[in-house]
């Protein structure tokens, strides 16, 4: 009965989001047979929703005039905020783009004319610029499993995946056995999803990339622990060992920085890797659209650099240094 009710609400949402649907389209979206979809349409009619049958070769079903959806009480600013969020958030999770677009269409239809005009004006065209460091979208099932375990305070069993999503086999150098953790916080930062958890294997707080996990829910409850420092955002941003992997770029390079890993991890761009060397030094590996781009990002840390690799990056640093020297000389002459 619960599945039928959820499916009926989804059918109502589909009908409200588009002018007309064919029976085959509705059945495909609902993941059921055409016979079941037709039965769900009759259920809506029994609930006094005017679902109209359109005859002919291009026929189908549409929601008639005068229908009412369950009330949604939002002020103008809230509606606009949701409109922006629906257009900008789905890229981090597989399969949400179509659902978000459908939700936006439904929301737009329900809003008063003045708000609808503002929402239409906020239809965004998303472009990737050179300063974005995107992460691959993750499985919504993993997000749901982790989020549910955080919410219900249930222990999770996790297996660690490779960056390509495969699971190492026993005997592989990178194989690690499944671990049991207490999931406390689900955090989104720099377009990446992180799980802050207490590892029961070695009694240590850790930060995990959710897209690198294969979670399995349990019903074993746990009692919430106090996070070190009591600041989840700082804990994630300053942890250099949070499972980050190098993003795919045309150019990648690295350097040894005279700064602690926790400092560099907080300010390094998404898709870079910070390696702890000692209390005052770390290695940063990152990518960009050019060697000069990498050199410029390294310069933002305002610290001494050594062990710069590869030679092309060294040449780019030298060229930038010459340009900056010219700027300094010209300014001094003035």
């Amino acid at each position: 009965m619960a599945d039928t009710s959820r499916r009926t609400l989804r059918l109502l949402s589909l009908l409200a989001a588009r002018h007309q649907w064919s029976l085959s389209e509705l059945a495909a979206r609902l993941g059921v047979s055409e016979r079941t979809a037709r039965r769900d349409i009759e259920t809506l009619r029994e609930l006094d929703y005017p679902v109209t049958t359109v005859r002919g070769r291009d026929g189908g079903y549409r929601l008639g005039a005068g229908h009412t959806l369950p009330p949604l009480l939002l002020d103008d600013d809230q509606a606009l905020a949701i409109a922006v969020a629906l257009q900008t958030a789905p890229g981090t999770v597989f399969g949400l783009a179509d659902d978000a677009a459908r939700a936006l269409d439904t929301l737009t239809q329900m809003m008063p004319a003045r708000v609808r005009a503002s929402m239409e004006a906020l239809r965004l065209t998303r472009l990737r610029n050179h300063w974005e460091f995107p992460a691959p979208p993750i499985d919504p099932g993993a997000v749901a499993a982790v989020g549910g375990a955080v919410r219900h305070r249930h222990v999770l069993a996790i297996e660690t995946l490779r960056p390509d999503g495969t699971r190492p086999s026993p005997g592989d150098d990178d194989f690690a056995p499944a671990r049991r953790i207490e999931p406390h916080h689900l955090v989104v930062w720099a377009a990446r999803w992180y799980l802050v958890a207490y590892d029961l294997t070695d009694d240590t707080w850790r930060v995990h990339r959710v897209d690198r996990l294969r979670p399995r829910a349990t019903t074993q409850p746990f009692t919430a622990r106090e996070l070190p420092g009591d600041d989840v955002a700082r804990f994630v941003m300053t942890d250099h060992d949070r499972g980050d992997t190098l993003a795919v770029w045309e150019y990648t390079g690295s350097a040894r920085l005279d700064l602690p890993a926790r400092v560099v991890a907080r300010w390094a761009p998404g898709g870079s890797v910070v390696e702890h060397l000692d209390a005052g030094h770390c290695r940063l590996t990152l990518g960009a659209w050019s060697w000069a781009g990498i050199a410029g990002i390294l310069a933002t840390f305002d610290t001494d650099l050594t062990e710069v690799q590869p030679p092309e990056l060294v040449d780019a640093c030298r060229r930038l240094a010459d340009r900056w020297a010219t700027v300094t000389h010209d300014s001094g002459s003035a």
Side-chain angles (χ1 to χ4, degrees), residues 90-311:
T92 65
V93 180
F94 279 120
L96 287 191
D98 289 343
D99 291 335
R102 184 165 53 83
L104 180 62
D105 288 339
T106 301
L107 183 64
T108 302
Q109 291 188 38
M110 296 171 63
M111 292 298 103
R114 67 181 188 285
V115 182
R116 189 181 308 120
S118 298
M119 293 175 67
E120 290 293 347
L122 284 175
R123 294 280 180 168
L124 305 177
T125 299
R126 298 199 63 190
L127 302 176
R128 177 184 170 185
N129 63 55
H130 291 309
W131 287 102
E132 289 182 347
F133 302 91
I138 65 177
D139 179 8
V143 174
V146 171
V150 170
R151 182 171 64 256
H152 297 299
R153 291 282 188 259
H154 285 168
V155 169
L156 268 180
I158 59 169
E159 296 177 341
T160 303
L161 306 178
R162 294 183 173 124
D164 63 2
T166 60
R167 167 71 170 152
S169 301
D172 292 345
D173 292 340
D174 55 348
F175 174 78
R179 308 174 75 91
R180 295 174 70 81
I181 62 173
E182 296 175 350
H184 280 69
H185 301 279
L186 190 59
V187 179
V188 180
W189 179 51
R192 286 160 174 78
W193 293 70
Y194 296 97
L195 171 64
V196 178
Y198 188 81
D199 195 310
L200 296 173
T201 303
D202 52 13
D203 296 324
T204 303
W205 283 96
R206 296 187 185 277
V207 179
H208 301 272
R209 279 274 296 271
V210 178
D211 59 322
R212 300 285 302 282
L213 299 181
R214 181 179 292 162
R216 188 177 74 252
T218 75
T219 57
Q220 178 184 343
F222 67 88
T223 302
R225 301 174 187 264
E226 185 175 346
L227 182 71
D230 199 29
D231 186 338
V232 65
R234 185 176 181 84
F235 187 79
V236 171
M237 291 189 294
T238 58
D239 184 8
H240 68 279
D241 189 23
R242 53 182 175 240
D244 284 334
T245 53
L246 191 63
V248 177
W249 287 97
E250 186 174 356
Y251 302 94
T252 58
S254 65
R256 183 179 188 268
L257 281 64
D258 291 353
L259 287 172
R262 68 178 184 278
V263 174
V264 175
R266 180 169 186 175
W267 305 110
S272 59
V273 175
V274 181
E275 177 187 356
H276 171 80
L277 299 178
D278 57 44
H281 302 85
C282 68
R283 184 182 310 282
L284 174 61
T285 303
L286 71 161
W289 61 93
S290 68
W291 294 119
I294 299 175
I297 296 172
L298 290 173
T300 64
F301 287 93
D302 193 21
T303 188
D304 290 338
L305 306 176
T306 56
E307 301 177 16
V308 179
Q309 295 291 337

Side-chain angles (χ1 to χ4, degrees), residues 2-73:
D3 287 343
T4 301
S5 298
R6 282 194 293 268
R7 196 173 63 243
T8 303
L9 286 174
R10 177 166 170 76
L11 172 60
L12 178 59
S13 176
L14 289 170
L15 290 169
R18 204 169 87 182
H19 178 64
Q20 184 172 312
W21 295 84
S22 69
L23 181 62
S24 61
E25 288 175 323
L26 290 174
R29 286 298 191 103
L30 296 172
V32 297
S33 67
E34 293 187 4
R35 179 179 179 181
T36 299
R38 190 179 291 110
R39 189 162 57 241
D40 290 341
I41 290 170
E42 291 304 319
T43 298
L44 284 180
R45 287 170 172 165
E46 291 172 3
L47 294 172
D48 294 327
Y49 285 98
V51 182
T52 302
T53 301
V54 181
R55 307 294 179 182
R57 188 183 63 179
D58 297 323
Y61 296 91
R62 66 176 60 160
L63 198 57
H67 66 278
T68 57
L69 292 178
L72 181 63
L73 302 178

